[in-house]
Amino acid sequence: MRLNDCHNFHDFRTLARKRLPGPIFNYIDGGADDEVTLRRNSESFERCDLVPSVLRGVSSLDTSVTVMGQKLAVPFYCSPTALQRLFHHQGERAVAAAAARYGTMFGVSSLGTISLEELRKAHSGPQVYQFYFHKDRGLNRAMMERAKSAGVNVMMLTVDSITGGNRERDLRTGFSIPFRLNLAGITQFAIKPQWALNYLTHEKFSLPQLDSHVDMGSGVMSISRYFTEMLDPSMTWDDVAEMVKLWSGQFCLKGIMSVADAKRAAEIGCTGIILSNHGGRQLDGSRAAFDQLAEIVDAVGDKIDVIMDGGIQRGTHVLKALSLGAKAVGIGRYYLYPLAAAGQPGVERALGQLKTEVERSMKLMGVTSLDQLSRENLRFR
């Protein structure tokens, strides 16, 4: 199987599985507990049907959107995800370059493997910085100041990860950073030597957003311990309100799922919220973001930009979310599998296919711009 054989999300997933050692593939692929929410994220779109209009004259299209003050050429962006150079040695460099090619936004995680500064210098397009709230308030301020100095456009605070989810696939292989694999995990690495060769012959793995604050490379701390010991479960709305004021710019909360929380985010001055269950990796049995979208848009859509991520696998999924009132959608696994499969060419192919699917679906729906979509286009079973 080659990159040219990949025509959809599932093809990229298959190719990534062939190329990655099992523990790393399962880190991307897995969810929490029984993975009910992970499955529900994509299944939620299947309960919603599109109602097309015809004879509308769709020879020219406008696929652009504006979200949190950022003009995007397409209605999707690359959500920040951790540890990308584990999946392919190009990591965030590949994702940022692909996002720039398609005129969209990309995110850098606190657990990212390329520095904010390098990516900001290389690409002038919209950039999001995702960070976690630490017990050390000085560390929180320092990270925000660094992002501001780097020229980051949007600050994104993840609020659904005050502790790590129960990811049993990782427990079975012993996956952690630094690696502490059990025999089953080691065997999986041994049968994928090409990954090891690439990993060992490129620059040393690091977490540059955290390197000066947390020792995670010498065996002192694993990712799971980072979530358990460094992050602050006592975080409150007052803490977030203080951060919003300190940042004094585009600030969004990722992990909002209730109307009450959406209203509170608007009240404290956030400019965006991202409906998300962390890709089904945190609270298993929680609601799918798509299923929560309508009621949250109805409650706060006129006050704050509402975005969603989770389960996007097709251009029609994007149109369904926008028809319910989302300003844009975030994608995660959708670009991680192509990254793992083929680096930058893989991510570019995936984003290009999603753009093509959005354009084709717009024509078949009878709309020339995304603001023409509405709930009149939808029926729920």
Side-chain angles (χ1 to χ4, degrees):
M1 187 177 190
R2 300 172 300 173
L3 181 60
N4 287 343
D5 298 318
C6 295
H7 302 289
N8 58 42
F9 173 89
H10 301 287
D11 291 341
F12 287 114
R13 179 179 179 272
T14 297
L15 186 55
R17 188 168 200 163
K18 291 178 179 294
R19 297 191 173 180
L20 285 177
I24 295 181
F25 174 80
N26 281 306
Y27 175 78
I28 300 174
D29 197 60
D33 293 342
D34 299 311
E35 302 187 348
V36 172
T37 295
L38 170 61
R39 295 189 295 273
R40 190 176 291 159
N41 281 344
S42 291
E43 291 171 355
S44 63
F45 292 98
E46 297 176 7
R47 296 191 293 272
C48 175
D49 297 326
L50 292 165
V51 181
S53 299
V54 297
L55 303 176
R56 296 299 178 92
V58 291
S59 56
S60 62
L61 301 176
D62 179 7
T63 62
S64 66
V65 296
T66 299
V67 57
M68 291 183 292
Q70 315 306 309
K71 181 70 176 288
L72 311 184
V74 290
F76 52 85
Y77 68 94
C78 296
S79 295
T81 58
L83 311 181
Q84 289 183 22
R85 278 204 297 119
L86 273 188
F87 317 141
H88 189 279
H89 65 267
Q90 292 177 324
E92 290 88 349
R93 295 185 182 109
V95 177
R101 176 178 174 180
Y102 286 97
T104 195
M105 186 164 64
F106 72 97
V108 183
S109 169
S110 292
L111 295 170
T113 56
I114 303 295
S115 73
L116 287 170
E117 291 82 2
E118 177 185 333
L119 295 169
R120 184 72 283 177
K121 289 176 183 177
H123 304 285
S124 60
Q127 181 173 326
V128 170
Y129 177 49
Q130 173 273 330
F131 78 115
Y132 299 103
F133 192 82
H134 300 86
K135 294 176 182 177
D136 183 345
R137 302 300 199 267
L139 172 57
N140 293 330
R141 288 191 294 272
M143 294 177 78
M144 292 181 68
E145 289 167 3
R146 177 178 176 179
K148 180 75 76 173
S149 297
V152 166
N153 305 95
V154 180
M155 180 59 67
M156 176 189 293
L157 175 64
T158 295
V159 293
D160 64 355
S161 301
I162 55 174
T163 188
N166 180 36
R167 301 170 194 175
E168 293 175 358
R169 294 204 211 183
D170 297 341
L171 296 176
R172 292 189 181 97
T173 61
F175 178 84
S176 67
I177 303 297
F179 290 136
R180 290 182 178 175
L181 301 169
N182 57 29
L183 181 59
I186 293 171
T187 301
Q188 288 294 312
F189 277 80
I191 63 178
K192 299 290 175 67
Q194 187 62 47
W195 177 90
L197 181 64
N198 285 335
Y199 181 77
L200 295 172
T201 56
H202 290 87
E203 65 191 286
K204 181 181 177 182
F205 181 86
S206 66
L207 300 171
Q209 273 66 255
L210 291 175
D211 274 353
S212 60
H213 306 290
V214 183
D215 185 356
M216 301 183 77
S218 63
V220 173
M221 180 170 288
S222 69
I223 294 296
S224 61
R225 285 184 60 204
Y226 168 77
F227 278 95
T228 303
E229 298 179 14
M230 293 289 293
L231 304 190
D232 191 353
S234 69
M235 176 175 57
T236 68
W237 284 102
D238 291 339
D239 294 316
V240 178
E242 183 178 340
M243 298 174 77
V244 171
K245 290 179 182 178
L246 181 64
W247 179 251
S248 187
Q250 299 289 338
F251 195 109
C252 68
L253 299 184
K254 182 174 184 287
I256 296 295
M257 288 293 285
S258 75
V259 167
D261 286 346
K263 289 180 177 179
R264 191 69 182 272
E267 289 169 0
I268 65 172
C270 293
T271 55
I273 52 173
I274 301 173
L275 312 191
S276 171
N277 54 43
H278 216 94
R281 296 164 69 81
Q282 287 296 100
L283 178 65
D284 196 32
S286 65
R287 193 102 154 119
F290 182 70
D291 287 337
Q292 285 296 91
L293 183 56
E295 63 183 88
I296 290 180
V297 167
D298 289 344
V300 300
D302 59 340
K303 303 179 183 69
I304 193 170
D305 284 353
V306 179
I307 309 154
M308 68 144 286
D309 78 8
I312 299 290
Q313 296 181 2
R314 286 289 188 184
T316 50
H317 294 172
V318 178
L319 263 60
K320 288 176 182 180
L322 268 59
S323 294
L324 281 184
K327 292 293 181 68
V329 302
I331 55 174
R333 290 183 180 91
Y334 189 94
Y335 74 80
L336 286 179
Y337 293 129
L339 172 66
Q344 183 176 333
V347 181
E348 290 185 354
R349 182 173 176 86
L351 297 187
Q353 287 179 354
L354 189 58
K355 179 177 185 290
T356 297
E357 288 187 8
V358 167
E359 292 172 340
R360 180 188 303 115
S361 299
M362 288 176 67
K363 290 180 179 180
L364 293 173
M365 286 295 295
V367 299
T368 57
S369 64
L370 295 168
D371 59 7
Q372 294 171 6
L373 294 169
S374 73
R375 295 181 195 180
E376 292 298 313
N377 306 131
L378 303 178
R379 295 295 184 275
F380 285 85
R381 297 178 189 175

